[in-house]
Amino acid sequence: MDRKRSSALFEKAVDLIPGGVNSPARAWNSVGGTPIFFAKGEGSHAWDEDGNRYIDYVCSWGPLILGHAHPEIIGAAQEVASLGTSFGAPTELEVRMAELVVEAVPSIEMVRFVNSGTEATMSALRLARAFTGRNRIIKFDGGYHGHDDALLVEAGSGVAAQGIATSAGVHPDYAAATMVADYNDVQSVERLLQAHEGEVAAIIVEPIAGNMGVVPPQAGFLEGLRELATSHGALLIFDEVISGFRAAYGGAQTVYGVTPDITCLGKIVGGGFPVGAYGASREIMQTVAPLGPMYQAGTLSGNPVAMAAGIKTLELLKQPGVYEGIASTTERLVNGLRDVFARAEVPAQINGVSGAFTVFFNPNPVTDMKSASASDGQEFAKFFHAMTDRGIYPPPSQFEAWFVSTAHSDEDIEATLTAAREALNS
Ligand SMILES: *Cc1c(COP(=O)(O)O)cnc(C)c1O
């Protein structure tokens, strides 16, 4: 496959932008080679600058659950953009969008829109500290919550791929207030809460881990966190930036029946535009300015174009059968890949939930960051390149989710499985 233009653009980009990318997960550090520059997307497909077509399983890292350039989403954004892109004053679209989010997510009675998942988690932590009057937080090894200082500790895929435990430049005082427990290990959380009784403001967790690769919560894990948070007076924050509107319309909290105190949203909620959100009960959200003493703001927050795309996305996702379709597509891919790997006698764990899965080159179950890290990176890198050369675009790291959209067709599934079969044989 000829990727001359991608190579030329990358050569120019590395001179101008650190690593040639505006987000490190786009670099191919862990698989080697030159990132593909994309020019166009439609449905489940994306075309690179050299005109090669790929079945896309990155889907912008999650937002594109309805595929690229969905005509109704683009139409809504275009229509609203022509009326003005931002006012710095309230618009009706924000109210409609808030209504949809409150209706969908059980833990949210009031919501504040921001511009990214990072802003959502950063604000949620500030809110938890303001509400509880406590300073410490507990996160999980391999949990990624954006690049807020306090959360860049043992932060999973993107960070792990650079071989960094905690980012340089994070003030040691911020990092010190962040304590790290093990995913799917309730006792590791209980120990921290007991050792720092009365000091923990919040436990922040991806209810379905997505940034060490997909790792579902084991039975009792989320329930255990809920009980511990309540009994120790800490808030439970679900970072549903990936799982919100993906695992189910109401997010992972409706799938597992565990209700957090604060929920963070992002990715899908912006329909491909920059949007994040955090929400909670009325009581907790009354801490946020201008109602309360916790300040948080944004010049472009809730801007009409992003709101219009988000609203259209949620309206389309609400249609009957959408999540059944996503679940069935994911299941066929996961089962198909398991079969392909088994036949090729390549040991692998395909962890999946509805809408996302990860291929771990690992003979043992992957249940936390430690077991995920034991996966074979070199084998994944070979597989990744063999797939991209066959027109399939998986995430360029083993510790990421492959995202499924409503646009992935039966034909796409077949083509993906055929490519995987060839890749493993090559
Ligand atoms: C992507 C992600 C974030 C950060 O969102 P950005 O929009 O990239 O800032 C936070 N939490 C989780 C779970 C994510 O996957």
Side-chain angles (χ1 to χ4, degrees):
M1 196 178 266
D2 178 15
R3 293 196 205 114
K4 273 200 205 74
R5 268 189 64 77
S6 277
S7 298
L9 284 166
F10 187 60
E11 213 168 289
K12 208 167 167 188
V14 290
D15 207 37
L16 298 164
I17 303 168
V21 292
N22 281 310
S23 193
R26 298 174 198 175
W28 284 17
N29 282 14
S30 67
V31 290
T34 303
I36 297 168
F37 279 62
F38 284 97
K40 184 180 93 166
E42 190 186 315
S44 59
H45 294 111
W47 284 260
D48 68 16
E49 283 286 348
D50 294 280
N52 303 304
R53 193 187 83 162
Y54 304 85
I55 300 170
D56 184 12
Y57 288 103
V58 174
C59 292
S60 188
W61 302 96
L64 305 182
I65 193 166
L66 294 161
H68 288 273
H70 191 289
E72 288 188 59
I73 299 172
I74 300 303
Q78 278 173 338
E79 193 185 321
V80 166
S82 69
L83 300 173
T85 56
S86 183
F87 297 94
T91 59
E92 181 177 358
L93 292 166
E94 293 158 88
V95 184
R96 174 76 190 123
M97 183 70 185
E99 238 169 20
L100 283 165
V101 169
V102 167
E103 205 177 271
V105 185
S107 61
I108 300 185
E109 287 176 355
M110 291 180 103
V111 63
R112 175 56 71 75
F113 292 107
V114 292
N115 302 291
S116 68
T118 295
E119 276 187 66
T121 57
M122 181 183 76
S123 309
L125 286 195
R126 189 181 302 146
L127 175 58
R129 289 185 169 126
F131 186 77
T132 61
R134 300 171 171 192
N135 287 324
R136 288 182 185 273
I137 61 144
I138 296 174
K139 74 177 286 290
F140 293 88
D141 187 10
Y144 178 68
H145 307 288
H147 66 90
D148 175 36
D149 277 356
L151 290 163
L152 273 183
V153 180
E154 305 289 355
S157 53
V159 190
Q162 320 294 322
I164 303 169
T166 300
S167 166
V170 170
H171 193 294
D173 291 357
Y174 288 142
T178 303
M179 304 186 290
V180 180
D182 291 318
Y183 195 76
N184 276 325
D185 180 354
V186 175
Q187 271 155 20
S188 70
V189 178
E190 188 165 23
R191 281 195 294 274
L192 290 172
L193 286 166
Q194 283 168 351
H196 302 278
E197 196 60 63
E199 296 174 30
V200 176
I203 303 166
I204 184 165
V205 65
E206 293 174 71
I208 298 164
N211 287 289
M212 49 181 112
V214 173
V215 178
Q218 290 172 343
F221 176 60
L222 297 175
E223 292 84 348
L225 296 184
R226 179 63 277 177
E227 280 169 28
L228 281 174
T230 305
S231 63
H232 290 265
L235 299 186
L236 181 61
I237 304 175
F238 274 8
D239 179 352
E240 297 230 40
V241 169
I242 288 180
S243 56
F245 300 101
R246 176 167 293 278
Y249 186 68
Q253 55 198 272
T254 60
V255 176
Y256 299 100
V258 175
T259 307
D261 299 298
I262 304 176
T263 299
C264 301
L265 297 168
K267 299 199 167 115
I268 288 175
V269 81
F273 289 83
V275 180
Y278 64 101
S281 65
R282 205 169 290 282
E283 187 197 2
I284 294 174
M285 290 305 280
Q286 273 167 2
T287 313
V288 180
L291 289 181
M294 186 213 107
Y295 195 73
Q296 181 273 310
T299 300
L300 291 170
S301 293
N303 81 83
V305 183
M307 291 292 106
I311 290 166
K312 183 54 77 183
T313 299
L314 299 197
E315 285 173 353
L316 290 166
L317 288 173
K318 261 173 91 165
Q319 304 298 314
V322 169
Y323 285 91
E324 287 81 350
I326 292 168
S328 142
T329 303
T330 317
E331 195 179 311
R332 278 184 295 159
L333 280 163
V334 167
N335 290 339
L337 285 167
R338 280 186 184 143
D339 185 54
V340 166
F341 275 78
R343 278 170 202 270
E345 296 180 15
V346 176
Q349 308 294 319
I350 324 266
N351 279 12
V353 293
S354 184
F357 63 90
T358 293
V359 178
F360 292 102
F361 284 76
N362 192 326
N364 301 309
V366 174
T367 58
D368 58 11
M369 187 61 185
K370 208 163 146 219
S371 44
S373 305
S375 307
D376 189 328
Q378 274 168 357
E379 286 303 308
F380 175 81
K382 281 193 265 175
F383 180 66
F384 168 83
H385 287 292
M387 291 296 272
T388 51
D389 288 345
R390 287 171 175 77
I392 313 290
Y393 184 61
S397 160
Q398 182 158 217
F399 307 112
E400 299 283 6
W402 300 43
F403 289 109
V404 177
S405 77
T406 55
H408 286 89
S409 65
D410 291 347
E411 212 181 323
D412 293 332
I413 297 174
E414 277 319 307
T416 304
L417 297 177
T418 302
R421 209 171 288 127
E422 289 174 15
L424 292 181
N425 289 334
S426 73

